[in-house]
Amino acid sequence: MTTPTSHSRATSGLQRSDDLAGLLRGRRSVRQYQEREVPREALLQMLEAARWAPSPHGRQPWRFAVLTQPEPKTRLAAAMGEDWQRNLEMDGQPTEIVQLRLEKSRQRILKAPAIIIPCLYLEDLDTYPDQQRQANESTMAVQSIGAAIQNMLIMAYDLGLDTGWMCAPLFCPDIARVALGLSETLIPQALITVGYAAADPKRRERLPLEELIVHFE
């Protein structure tokens, strides 16, 4: 049996790069998945990869909720959808556009074979008497959860899986937390869909490296 810490591509017959640079370039954001279950072992390997991400003071200020069943996905999609609808209507978008966007987002959640919700957990971070340093401490935690998520995405791709990074929970963390019955100490930050791509997604071009480097001496 594949263990959570082992390195295996047994979850998929897809041929992926054997070197890190190839994996980084090959990873893509997927919206449509096959109706195919993601093995529990693969999800655990993704979470194990996240566990090794850098974090402030090594405190690992993140926790993960994993959804594989229809009922919690439906509950989460409904709760976040209500909040997003209010925001879209407040933005003055036409009713038909609002409904179209809501349904597309809802289907992305419901049809994803698995979902991982990365949550900030700030209880173990250092505390300071001044507001600025405390804000910086929280910023370090936010930066580190991004590193943890990236580790998950690369591990998933290495296993023959694909992922999609949705930011919806970031805009309504309390609503997402309550919908899933999570502790008040957790702050949902993202929604990572996981599965086997139904089709190759269109990829956006990356900016040339020379446009991204602003100082090099």
Side-chain angles (χ1 to χ4, degrees):
M1 177 180 293
T2 303
T3 62
T5 55
S6 68
H7 186 75
S8 170
R9 292 180 176 81
T11 56
S12 172
L14 295 178
Q15 296 298 313
R16 308 270 168 129
S17 174
D18 283 325
D19 65 85
L20 178 58
L23 289 171
L24 293 173
R25 290 192 297 268
R27 185 210 61 81
R28 63 267 181 93
S29 297
V30 167
R31 291 172 178 262
Q32 297 180 330
Y33 297 98
Q34 302 173 32
E35 294 183 6
R36 180 180 173 191
E37 181 179 351
V38 176
R40 177 184 177 89
E41 290 80 7
L43 294 171
L44 290 175
Q45 287 190 65
M46 290 174 61
L47 296 172
E48 176 68 12
R51 193 167 72 91
W52 290 96
S55 64
H57 326 297
R59 300 289 170 73
Q60 297 177 258
W62 359 268
R63 300 293 185 268
F64 304 97
V66 183
L67 311 181
T68 60
Q69 301 301 313
E71 197 278 331
K73 295 177 193 175
T74 300
R75 197 167 64 239
L76 179 63
M80 292 196 304
E82 290 178 3
D83 183 72
W84 195 30
Q85 181 172 354
R86 286 191 293 269
N87 289 334
L88 291 174
E89 291 173 346
M90 184 171 58
D91 293 341
Q93 297 199 25
T95 301
E96 61 274 16
I97 298 298
V98 169
Q99 293 304 316
L100 179 62
R101 296 185 67 182
L102 286 173
E103 185 57 24
K104 284 185 176 181
S105 179
R106 178 174 176 273
Q107 290 302 318
R108 284 185 67 185
I109 295 173
L110 297 183
K111 291 185 177 181
I115 289 172
I116 297 176
I117 309 289
C119 303
L120 273 180
Y121 178 73
L122 305 177
E123 300 300 299
D124 294 336
L125 294 184
D126 288 357
T127 58
Y128 300 94
D130 59 291
Q131 184 177 2
Q132 183 59 58
R133 282 190 293 171
Q134 199 61 57
N136 292 341
E137 187 80 2
S138 296
T139 298
M140 286 195 296
V142 172
Q143 292 175 343
S144 76
I145 202 171
I149 292 172
Q150 178 72 345
N151 276 14
M152 287 196 302
L153 303 186
I154 297 302
M155 176 55 76
Y157 191 67
D158 190 36
L159 292 170
L161 292 161
D162 284 293
T163 54
W165 186 337
M166 299 175 67
C167 296
L170 183 65
F171 292 88
C172 56
D174 291 337
I175 289 174
R177 177 182 56 77
V178 171
L180 296 176
L182 302 178
S183 166
E184 292 184 358
T185 61
L186 301 178
I187 309 171
Q189 296 289 292
L191 187 157
I192 310 301
T193 58
V194 187
Y196 299 93
D200 288 333
K202 293 182 180 179
R203 305 189 67 183
R204 295 183 180 180
E205 292 293 328
R206 295 300 198 265
L207 292 174
L209 186 58
E210 57 268 22
E211 292 186 25
L212 301 177
I213 300 175
V214 296
H215 188 84
F216 196 144
E217 65 174 304

